[in-house]
Amino acid sequence: MSLERALELAERGRDRVEHTHPVVGAVVVSDGEVVGEGWYAGSGSPHAEVAALEAAGDRARGATLYVTLEPCAHRGSTPPCADAVVAAGVTRVVAGAGDPNPKVDGRGFERLREGGVDVEVADSWEARRQNEAWRIWISRGRPFVTYKVAITLDGRVTIPGSRWVSGEESRRRVHELRAEADAVAVGMGTVRADDPALTAREVEVERQPRRLALGSGPLPEGSELELRSGPLEDELRALARDGVRSLLLEGGPTLASSFLAADLVDKLLVFVAPRLSGAGAGPVAALPEPLELRHMTYEQIGEDVLLTAYVHEP
């Protein structure tokens, strides 16, 4: 249960941590008792492990540290956390996941073992999912891409005579997804057909995402979208360098196929509405070969069902 508690603590930093860092939580346990807790709260605050060790004090000696992410072993704005763990006398570390940052990537575990600490890597799906956007951004040099689509029970993305496929609750969820994303994108076909604003509306939002049109212009007169006309992978890498960690893809079947064929989609969100269309395109135009999806889950949203599945494990 201590690792689950560390995951809960990590979420306290969700809206406070700078985009270059993951959320991290830590718990120190001695003789079956929690003696210290900590989480990373953003620039200027101690890392989760250090905060938990400081809370534990002398009781950290001989204790077990549960932490959601591999402790760092390099000096950045703070000293290496792995050194702090060794110095505190912790004898065992249970880590939720390794750190894919090339500056860490196993070095933290190596430093702990060199210091005589027993290390267990849980490789927890929950721990990896907690920082899914950051993990792809830091390891692949591009944003974490989520393809969102609404379909009918017969697999169509449009319904004759209707503007919407999904229900009101699902559409609200989409605005929440936009508010959480660093950027939202559609293809030029969608731009020409609908001239979408792509803003997050009627939900709590600290800042609007970057709103992108992918493909060859020109944009319609008055459009506030940002046109990106280069190859998809080049554009994604440029966005990543600008600090865009997560991209919500709302384009049509053609754009989705382009992303999937280029292996640039990480997660799918499929809103399935209890309606039959009888005509129209499906969610993906064409693929060079079938794709196997992982970790599929579902939840009820109003009258719709939201299916979530992963192409890549973060």
Side-chain angles (χ1 to χ4, degrees):
M1 294 298 292
S2 294
L3 187 56
E4 286 86 348
R5 176 58 179 166
L7 289 166
E8 292 176 2
L9 292 169
E11 286 301 317
R12 297 186 182 184
R14 174 64 62 187
D15 297 321
R16 303 168 65 181
V17 171
E18 57 271 30
H19 82 275
T20 54
H21 287 67
V23 295
V24 184
V27 177
V28 180
V29 176
S30 178
D31 296 324
E33 178 186 355
V34 174
V35 296
E37 295 184 338
W39 62 92
Y40 182 53
S43 180
S45 66
H47 284 190
E49 303 94 316
V50 173
L53 292 171
E54 289 177 349
D58 292 341
R59 298 192 68 180
R61 189 161 298 278
T64 296
L65 172 70
Y66 294 86
V67 61
T68 56
L69 188 69
E70 176 183 358
C72 62
H74 66 287
R75 179 175 293 273
S77 58
T78 62
C81 291
D83 289 352
V85 173
V86 172
V90 168
T91 56
R92 180 170 176 254
V93 168
V94 178
D99 189 329
N101 186 339
K103 294 181 179 179
V104 185
D105 196 16
R107 294 180 178 87
F109 295 144
E110 181 181 351
R111 174 68 186 95
L112 292 173
R113 292 186 176 106
E114 288 174 351
V117 179
D118 180 38
V119 176
E120 177 184 339
V121 184
D123 194 26
S124 159
W125 167 245
E126 290 75 15
R128 286 186 283 126
R129 183 179 59 184
Q130 186 172 62
N131 285 300
E132 60 187 15
W134 176 82
R135 294 181 70 88
I136 292 296
W137 176 78
I138 199 71
S139 63
R140 300 199 178 202
R142 63 164 177 80
F144 181 86
V145 177
T146 298
Y147 173 42
K148 182 278 301 179
V149 64
I151 65 171
T152 61
L153 278 177
D154 56 343
R156 313 293 185 172
V157 296
T158 59
I159 297 176
S162 176
R163 179 182 179 186
W164 306 111
V165 172
S166 57
E168 183 177 348
E169 292 89 344
S170 294
R171 297 198 297 273
R172 178 179 175 83
R173 175 65 68 87
V174 170
H175 284 280
E176 292 172 348
L177 292 169
R178 289 177 182 176
E180 295 167 359
D182 294 326
V184 182
V186 295
M188 283 303 299
T190 299
V191 172
R192 296 186 182 104
D194 300 330
D195 192 18
L198 301 183
T199 52
R201 301 183 296 278
E202 299 181 6
V203 296
E204 185 176 344
V205 56
E206 291 187 3
R207 52 97 184 100
Q208 290 291 342
R210 287 177 66 170
R211 294 167 291 144
L212 314 175
L214 303 177
S216 301
L219 291 170
E221 184 177 352
S223 174
E224 296 182 354
L225 302 187
E226 176 186 341
L227 182 63
R228 312 287 300 214
S229 300
L232 292 180
E233 190 162 352
D234 292 348
E235 293 291 359
L236 291 185
R237 292 193 179 279
L239 290 168
R241 289 193 295 271
D242 287 346
V244 174
R245 294 193 310 178
S246 57
L247 173 67
L248 180 63
L249 186 65
E250 294 195 29
T254 301
L255 185 63
S257 295
S258 298
F259 268 80
L260 287 163
D263 199 26
L264 295 174
V265 173
D266 301 294
K267 182 166 74 173
L268 274 69
L269 296 176
V270 183
F271 293 86
V272 183
R275 308 174 73 180
L276 296 174
S277 174
V284 180
L287 290 175
E289 58 184 23
L291 288 176
E292 295 292 334
L293 304 179
R294 307 173 180 88
H295 299 287
M296 191 172 80
T297 57
Y298 69 91
E299 63 177 298
Q300 190 86 29
I301 301 182
E303 296 298 317
D304 303 331
V305 173
L306 172 58
L307 302 177
T308 300
Y310 288 78
V311 180
H312 300 126
E313 295 194 0

